[in-house]
């Protein structure tokens, strides 16, 4: 599993829904990226596709759903239903994100979180990538 960077857009969405009753996203999706990109505070659903170069060469028709577990100890994960991508071309995977829009390469919705991997991994076409995601909120130590 991986921990996640929450840009301002994601944090603002969490607070707007929790504290002001804003409309929550009906579902969250996992997107994967090949660019050697470091997450930034001003990343959004509108700019992350181009900034981090979203991978759309996979056979699933939409970004896979992030099916989260019930929150416990300030964390939630998808270990019961990993997001799955079946590559249709060789790709180097360097990051994953949680977004509210289902469309591959979509620039609408909310970017909740993104995580750059410690190093990229290259996979040939036909590889099935199953992505574990761990979302955590914690107090400073």
């Amino acid at each position: 599993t991986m921990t996640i960077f929450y840009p301002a857009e994601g944090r603002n969405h969490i607070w707007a829904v929790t504290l002001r009753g804003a409309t929550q996203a009906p579902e969250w999706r996992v997107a994967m990226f090949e660019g050697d990109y470091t997450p930034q505070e001003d990343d959004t659903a509108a700019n992350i596709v181009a900034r981090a170069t979203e991978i759309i060469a996979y056979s699933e028709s939409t970004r896979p759903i992030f099916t989260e577990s019930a929150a416990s100890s300030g964390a939630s994960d998808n270990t019961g239903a990993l997001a799955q991508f079946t590559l249709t071309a060789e790709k180097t995977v360097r990051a994953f994100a949680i977004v509210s829009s289902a469309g591959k390469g979509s620039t609408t919705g909310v970017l909740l979180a993104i995580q750059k991997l410690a190093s990229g991994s290259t996979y040939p076409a036909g590889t099935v990538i199953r992505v574990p995601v761990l979302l955590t909120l914690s107090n400073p130590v």
Side-chain angles (χ1 to χ4, degrees):
T1 55
M2 59 184 169
T3 56
I4 300 284
F5 175 83
Y6 297 90
E9 181 174 70
R11 294 191 321 270
N12 292 343
H13 180 77
I14 290 168
W15 294 127
V17 170
T18 303
L19 300 176
R20 292 190 341 226
T23 303
Q24 71 180 41
E27 63 188 15
W28 293 99
R29 301 289 183 135
V30 179
M32 80 182 156
F33 301 90
E34 61 186 325
D36 188 9
Y37 176 76
T38 300
Q40 304 295 312
E41 182 65 12
D42 66 345
D43 287 337
T44 65
N47 65 29
I48 196 62
V49 170
R51 284 181 173 186
T53 315
E54 183 175 357
I55 296 171
I56 59 172
Y58 53 92
S59 60
E60 290 75 16
S61 59
T62 62
R63 293 169 173 161
I65 291 179
F66 172 65
T67 304
E68 70 280 356
S69 62
S72 176
S73 300
S76 181
D77 63 39
N78 69 338
T79 55
L82 301 180
Q84 179 172 301
F85 299 83
T86 306
L87 293 178
T88 58
E90 181 178 286
K91 292 293 178 180
T92 299
V93 179
R94 292 189 169 92
F96 296 95
I98 305 298
V99 294
S100 66
S101 179
K104 294 180 185 181
S106 173
T107 56
T108 62
V110 174
L111 170 65
L112 180 65
I114 184 169
Q115 178 62 48
K116 179 179 181 179
L117 303 175
S119 63
S121 295
T122 301
Y123 301 96
T127 301
V128 176
I129 299 172
R130 291 179 182 87
V131 182
V133 177
L134 172 63
L135 300 176
T136 60
L137 292 175
S138 59
N139 290 320
V141 208

